[in-house]
């Protein structure tokens, strides 16, 4: 009868169309789930770099009489800085300094060095800290006084 599909054939086409549509939707869901899983597992977790360790002083910058910063580094006896995991601080050139305590706050990026009575306290701003280098700056009255640059030993 004039180009009309029998009811069974139309139902068959609708079933095929429904199955095909569901397969496409299922494939999208599978693709989305796979994409999310790959994204989660491939993201590298940022490793927190600790300030602890031994550091070799490679440069010191200080303010000269003209108010400019210049290198005042002499490398005959470069300083060695030790920051222990136990919170102990030591600085050594040709003579060791007393062993002080230190606290480092990675959020504020402040390194505080002090003696047991807290009569000697010095605070440094950690400008750079990575696997290989450390840069400390000391300020007085919100003005940079000195910058120390170190490499990790």
């Amino acid at each position: 009868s004039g180009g009309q599909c029998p009811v069974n054939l139309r139902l068959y086409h609708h079933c095929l169309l429904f199955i095909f549509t569901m397969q496409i939707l299922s494939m999208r869901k599978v693709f989305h789930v796979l994409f999310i899983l790959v994204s989660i597992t491939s993201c590298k977790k940022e490793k927190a770099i600790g300030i602890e360790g031994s550091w070799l002083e490679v440069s010191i910058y200080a303010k000269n009489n003209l108010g400019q910063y210049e290198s005042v580094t002499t490398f005959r006896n470069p300083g060695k800085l030790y920051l222990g995991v136990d919170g102990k601080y030591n600085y050594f050139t040709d003579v060791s300094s007393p062993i002080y305590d230190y606290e480092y706050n990675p959020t504020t990026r402040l390194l505080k060095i002090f003696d047991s009575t807290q009569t000697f306290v010095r605070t440094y701003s950690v400008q750079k800290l990575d696997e290989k280098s450390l840069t400390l700056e000391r300020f007085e009255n919100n003005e940079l006084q000195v910058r120390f640059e170190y490499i990790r030993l």
Side-chain angles (χ1 to χ4, degrees):
S1 68
Q4 297 249 345
C5 292
V7 173
N8 288 345
L9 192 55
R10 270 192 277 162
L11 184 59
Y12 177 74
H13 285 273
H14 286 289
C15 285
L16 283 179
L17 183 61
F18 176 77
I19 291 170
F20 181 73
T21 303
M22 292 309 293
Q23 284 179 341
I24 290 175
L25 290 175
S26 294
M27 292 294 285
R28 280 188 181 165
K29 286 180 184 178
V30 168
F31 175 76
H32 287 288
V33 168
L34 285 175
F35 178 78
I36 290 169
L37 286 174
V38 168
S39 296
I40 290 171
T41 58
S42 67
C43 290
K44 289 184 178 179
K45 303 286 187 250
E46 191 170 311
K47 181 182 164 191
I49 297 172
I51 199 167
E52 301 86 7
S54 296
W55 300 91
L56 179 66
E57 192 174 80
V58 292
S59 63
I60 302 171
Y61 293 89
K63 198 180 218 182
N64 65 20
N65 292 338
L66 301 173
Q68 299 170 334
Y69 293 93
E70 65 182 3
S71 175
V72 294
T73 307
T74 58
F75 287 108
R76 287 183 302 199
N77 293 312
K80 292 182 182 125
L81 173 65
Y82 172 75
L83 299 167
V85 294
D86 58 355
K88 298 297 179 191
Y89 163 94
N90 190 13
Y91 183 83
F92 181 84
T93 53
D94 52 349
V95 179
S96 182
S97 72
I99 295 176
Y100 293 114
D101 294 312
Y102 80 91
E103 292 174 354
Y104 174 60
N105 184 328
T107 304
T108 61
R109 297 183 63 90
L110 292 178
L111 173 66
K112 179 180 164 187
I113 298 167
F114 50 93
D115 64 7
S116 59
T117 63
Q118 298 229 1
T119 53
F120 172 84
V121 177
R122 185 149 288 158
T123 302
Y124 296 92
S125 173
V126 177
Q127 294 300 309
K128 181 179 180 184
L129 173 60
D130 59 34
E131 290 291 336
K132 297 179 181 179
S133 61
L134 170 66
T135 301
L136 301 177
E137 293 182 340
R138 190 177 78 227
F139 290 83
E140 289 179 19
N141 299 321
N142 292 326
E143 188 175 327
L144 178 65
Q145 296 299 308
V146 64
R147 174 183 293 132
F148 301 93
E149 295 176 349
Y150 300 91
I151 57 172
R152 194 181 293 266
L153 293 175

